[in-house]
Amino acid sequence: MRIRAVSLALAAIVMFVAIGGMVFKGFNFALDFTGGYETEVQFSKTVDVGELRGKLEQAGFKGAQVRVIGSSNEVVIRMQAQESGKRIDGATVVAAVQSAANPATLRDYYYVGPQVGKELAESGLQALIFVVIGFLAYVWIRFELKFAIAAIITTLHDVVLVAGWFALSGHEFDLAVLAGVLSVMGYSINDTIVVFDRVRENFKTLHKLSPLEVMNRSVNQTLSRTIITSFVALLTVLALYFFGGDSLKGMAESQILGIVIGTLSSIFVACPLLLMLGVTKQDLMPKARDEEALNARP
């Protein structure tokens, strides 16, 4: 709590930078949102992704994305409609990437329309709003309004930073990443609630301590649990990042960032926000709140 002013200032600065990245740079949306063509190709031998991209560029397919799926000889090729008007179909794509030394066969080919992408984006936004409202109601009922406000701000801070990273880095943002961002919300709110539970307990038992001392003690008492839990979760997601394949890499990346940022925010942001909102022991005691309200009446 001694460095709460510095931690809140840094959190606010980084959050505004992330928002600026989303507003002015935007996201590198995948075909899930923009629409385009997706072709799955199986080769006889292992393929080099960089070499395939070069072949597609030479064939006139600009901005193609190539990912390995399953084994090292299976790839998925994604591309948007070409500005040159070049026709895109499965046979043409296969012909562009295969060679006599490494023949390929078409496994699947389909087109994702922009209307579908628009509907997916709207559904993702609705899911985000629904989760935020649900968290707000849950924490408000379980604790008190000030706790709910602090928890939601902390959680949104974590989500904005993860989303801002994808905007600033230009990494592809697809449905798997969106799922990872939503899971970050769940992880972040869980971590924050653990700390808030201890704050509530300490407010009830440590009557002589000031709110600042109660917050500081609560964070320290839950610190080992927070770090150990986050470390174990991080090991799991790191395994997913390195060994889960390209199709899961974006989701794993968002979860790695979310775990690190969520852990830091539950330590350095959540309780300082509670102090800023002026939470006291009376906020957790319904009878005391009712008596205070009656005494305040003229």
Side-chain angles (χ1 to χ4, degrees):
M1 292 299 102
R2 185 174 56 204
I3 60 171
R4 63 189 183 280
V6 176
S7 62
L8 285 177
L10 286 175
I13 291 171
V14 177
M15 189 173 179
F16 285 128
V17 170
I19 293 173
M22 289 186 285
V23 172
F24 296 106
K25 188 174 181 181
F27 294 100
N28 177 22
F29 286 114
L31 297 187
D32 298 336
F33 299 107
T34 62
Y37 303 85
E38 184 164 306
T39 309
E40 292 184 17
V41 182
Q42 183 173 10
F43 291 83
S44 299
K45 303 176 183 178
T46 301
V47 293
D48 179 78
V49 171
E51 182 182 346
L52 293 184
R53 291 196 187 101
K55 289 182 177 180
L56 289 168
E57 287 284 339
Q58 292 176 3
F61 297 111
K62 305 297 182 182
Q65 301 171 357
V66 183
R67 287 183 175 179
V68 175
I69 57 173
S71 59
S72 58
N73 65 331
E74 299 175 14
V75 300
V76 59
I77 301 170
R78 296 178 174 181
M79 62 184 78
Q80 298 179 7
Q82 301 294 298
E83 295 180 0
S84 61
K86 182 177 178 63
R87 176 180 172 81
I88 301 175
D89 59 55
T92 305
V93 174
V94 171
V97 295
Q98 70 176 347
S99 62
N102 194 4
T105 56
L106 178 66
R107 292 189 59 189
D108 198 4
Y109 168 80
Y110 52 90
Y111 172 71
V112 179
Q115 182 60 34
V116 175
K118 181 180 178 182
E119 291 174 359
L120 288 172
E122 291 175 351
S123 298
L125 181 60
Q126 291 171 4
L128 185 65
I129 294 173
F130 176 78
V131 171
V132 169
I133 294 174
F135 283 164
L136 180 63
Y138 168 72
V139 182
W140 189 355
I141 293 171
R142 181 168 175 178
F143 294 97
E144 194 266 347
L145 180 59
K146 293 178 182 177
F147 282 81
I149 293 173
I152 290 301
I153 293 175
T154 303
T155 303
L156 289 178
H157 161 270
D158 300 344
V159 172
V160 166
L161 260 59
V162 173
W165 162 257
F166 279 89
L168 292 169
S169 65
H171 292 180
E172 188 180 60
F173 195 95
D174 56 14
L175 283 176
V177 174
L178 178 60
V181 171
L182 292 177
S183 69
V184 166
M185 295 187 70
Y187 184 88
S188 176
I189 199 76
N190 175 71
D191 225 12
T192 302
I193 285 176
V194 169
V195 179
F196 282 0
D197 261 330
R198 187 55 59 92
V199 170
R200 179 172 59 180
E201 293 171 6
N202 286 339
F203 263 131
K204 293 178 180 178
T205 57
L206 305 175
H207 304 291
K208 296 182 180 181
L209 295 184
S210 66
L212 186 146
E213 293 171 318
V214 169
M215 301 290 176
N216 199 62
R217 183 168 297 191
S218 301
V219 171
N220 279 286
Q221 288 173 345
T222 57
L223 189 60
S224 60
R225 179 266 175 203
T226 299
I227 293 175
I228 292 172
T229 304
S230 299
F231 179 70
V232 174
L234 185 62
L235 289 178
T236 306
V237 181
L238 283 173
L240 188 66
Y241 181 82
F242 289 110
F243 305 111
D246 286 345
S247 60
L248 296 176
K249 201 165 189 176
M251 183 178 71
E253 181 180 350
S254 65
Q255 291 178 330
I256 290 170
L257 292 169
I259 289 172
V260 174
I261 295 170
T263 302
L264 293 174
S265 67
S266 66
I267 298 171
F268 294 107
V269 177
C271 284
L273 280 175
L274 273 181
L275 282 177
M276 182 181 292
L277 293 170
V279 71
T280 63
K281 178 176 63 177
Q282 283 70 31
D283 291 318
L284 296 171
M285 300 173 63
K287 292 183 179 179
R289 290 203 304 267
D290 294 341
E291 291 175 1
E292 186 178 333
L294 288 172
N295 294 331
R297 292 179 181 176

